[in-house]
Every structure is written in structure tokens, then in C-alpha cells.
Amino acid sequence: MPIDLGKFKPAYEKWVEESLPDYLAGNVKELVKRYPLIVSEDVPWTAYSGSPSEQTFALVTTGGLYLKDRQPPFDTASIHGDPSFREIPRTVQQEELGIAHAHYDHSLAEQDFNVIFPIQRFSELERENIVGRVADTHYSFSYVNDVVSLVTEMVPKLISRIKAAKVDILFMVPV
């Protein structure tokens, strides 16, 4: 079942209007309860095929990671969130990353970023020939309420980049 953005958009706009005072007051738990969730009647599913040892893997996290000295942080002030993504190289080190996501406790991720972005674990799997190859580029999103911009703008860009990199498996890490 495709997402009906025409139906979602007015419900979302109403939610923003009604929820902005709570958002500005920091009452995120209250406004999340009223968010106009999209409920799918079915689950899009593709059965896995192939051998991991012959495939290329990439990671996507929703942890709000960005490269501190090379990329702008995600917008954490807007009720809409930030639908953009950041490219993260496979060689990234923990000290190079910042976290721009205002809606979860960062303490574990700050101790070991593999909790929300297991790039070092995937590199180990590659060295052990369990996975064929870890892609050179991986991706991070932050929180997003604006599903319309996410689905119509950012997801197509992400898919294009993943296809160009010949990624077989996209490992998603929701935060």
C-alpha cells in the first residue's frame, strides 16, 4: 500500500498547528501521542537472497550523526525535524562525529557510537569474510516529522546514491 501523502499532509499540518505550543514548551511526549501516524495495511517485503559474503553492505542510522568539522548539524529546533541526511565515510572515528538529535539520550552512543552506527562491527565482519564488502559511504538521518519532504525529496536521493554505490544490503539502525 503506497503512502497517501495527500491524506497525510493536511493531518500533519493540523498536528503542527495544534502541537506547536507543546513543542515550544518542551512537551514532546504529549505531542508525539497526537502525531498522525501512517499505518500501512501491508508490509513491503522482499525475501532475502544471496550470500552475505558476496554482497556489499551500507548502514543508515536515524541517530542524528554528522561529521563535526565538515558538515552542518541537523536542525533540532524545528517541529518538522530535519529530513536531510549526512554521508558518513566507512573510515570515520568516534571523535569525528557529533550527534544532532534532540529526542533521545546520547550517553551510550557517546561512549560507543557502534550502538547507533555499527560501522566498526561491520568492518570486523568484512575482515572475517562474513560480509563481502562494507560500502565506502553510509548515511545518517535525525528525527523527522515532515514525512512528505522525507518521502518525496530525501529518500529518492538516498536510493540513487545507494544504487550508484552498488549496495546490495542496506542495514537500518532506528534510534
Side-chain angles (χ1 to χ4, degrees):
M1 171 185 173
I3 298 171
D4 185 348
L5 295 177
K7 183 178 177 184
F8 173 79
K9 191 168 183 173
Y12 174 72
E13 289 169 351
K14 181 180 179 199
W15 173 82
V16 168
E17 182 180 331
E18 293 173 353
S19 299
L20 195 53
D22 277 334
Y23 184 81
L24 295 173
N27 298 327
V28 176
K29 287 182 181 180
E30 292 306 311
L31 64 103
V32 167
K33 293 176 186 176
R34 298 187 303 266
Y35 187 81
L37 294 172
I38 297 171
V39 179
S40 178
E41 308 244 339
D42 62 353
V43 176
W45 180 260
T46 301
Y48 176 74
S49 64
S51 172
S53 63
E54 299 172 354
Q55 295 177 318
T56 300
F57 287 72
L59 298 172
V60 173
T61 181
T62 60
L65 298 178
Y66 67 99
L67 298 172
K68 287 191 274 194
D69 296 330
R70 295 183 269 168
Q71 298 170 331
F74 290 95
D75 179 357
T76 60
S78 172
I79 191 170
H80 302 290
D82 186 338
S84 65
F85 59 85
R86 305 292 182 268
E87 293 184 339
I88 309 292
R90 73 173 281 161
T91 57
V92 71
Q93 298 298 307
Q94 177 130 3
E95 60 273 6
E96 297 174 89
L97 292 171
I99 301 175
H101 191 310
H103 303 296
Y104 74 93
D105 179 353
H106 301 172
S107 59
L108 292 176
E110 289 170 348
Q111 291 175 40
D112 181 0
F113 74 118
N114 287 282
V115 172
I116 62 169
F117 187 67
I119 190 66
Q120 293 172 331
R121 303 297 77 85
F122 269 86
S123 293
E124 291 166 3
L125 294 171
E126 180 185 57
R127 284 192 298 277
E128 295 169 10
N129 297 315
I130 294 170
V131 302
R133 191 172 88 75
V134 176
D136 292 330
T137 304
H138 305 272
Y139 305 90
S140 179
F141 286 87
S142 189
Y143 81 96
V144 180
N145 289 326
D146 181 3
V147 173
V148 175
S149 294
L150 178 70
V151 171
T152 61
E153 298 171 28
M154 292 299 122
V155 169
K157 285 182 185 178
L158 178 68
I159 290 170
S160 175
R161 291 178 187 193
I162 289 167
K163 285 182 177 180
K166 299 185 185 318
V167 169
D168 300 299
I169 306 292
L170 188 61
F171 190 85
M172 309 243 354
V173 184
V175 179

